[in-house]
Amino acid sequence: QVQLVESGGGWLQPGGSLRLSCSASGITLAYWSVAWFRQAPGKEREMVSCLNGEGAPAFPTDANGRFTVSRDKEKNTVYLWVTNLKPDDTAVYYCAVESVCGSITGPEHWGQGTSVTVAP
């Protein structure tokens, strides 16, 4: 059974940074593309970054470079770093496994999400 577990969310100050983790069981993340999505209150879910099967960011959506994604093969974990946090970053963040980044069929598996709140 595939399970993705996100962690690292919480209440953070504007201007700060965070690291979210996506740990997997029942699946080897290195063989898949792993995407990070977020859904802010009242908004649609959006992809913020994706790491392809070769371990390279393949779907960078942040032109300011505030989002960085990487993986640890030994820990079977993918990380999302976000710097210079803004209140607009407040959302539930999800990791998901895709055959390729931006797959038109959508992710194969989803995590349960971790909540991030950015406020003074």
Side-chain angles (χ1 to χ4, degrees):
Q1 181 179 358
V2 174
Q3 189 173 17
L4 303 176
V5 178
E6 300 95 336
S7 61
W11 191 293
L12 299 113
Q13 296 282 334
S17 59
L18 67 81
R19 185 189 77 169
L20 301 179
S21 301
C22 173
S23 299
S25 59
I27 191 170
T28 301
L29 295 182
Y31 298 157
W32 294 82
S33 296
V34 180
W36 284 93
F37 293 81
R38 69 182 180 184
Q39 187 165 20
K43 295 186 178 180
E44 293 188 357
R45 187 163 52 194
E46 62 175 350
M47 181 186 290
V48 295
S49 193
C50 186
L51 195 69
N52 67 18
E54 286 72 43
F59 200 94
T61 59
D62 174 41
N64 294 321
R66 296 193 301 119
F67 296 86
T68 304
V69 61
S70 67
R71 71 183 177 197
D72 185 325
K73 289 184 179 181
E74 290 188 1
K75 295 183 178 180
N76 203 25
T77 298
V78 171
Y79 303 99
L80 176 71
W81 277 269
V82 186
T83 60
N84 191 21
L85 286 165
K86 306 176 187 301
D88 286 347
D89 293 322
T90 296
V92 177
Y93 285 73
Y94 302 88
C95 66
V97 169
E98 299 188 293
S99 56
V100 294
C101 287
S103 170
I104 60 173
T105 59
E108 302 279 337
H109 305 284
W110 289 91
Q112 83 291 348
T114 184
S115 180
V116 172
T117 301
V118 182

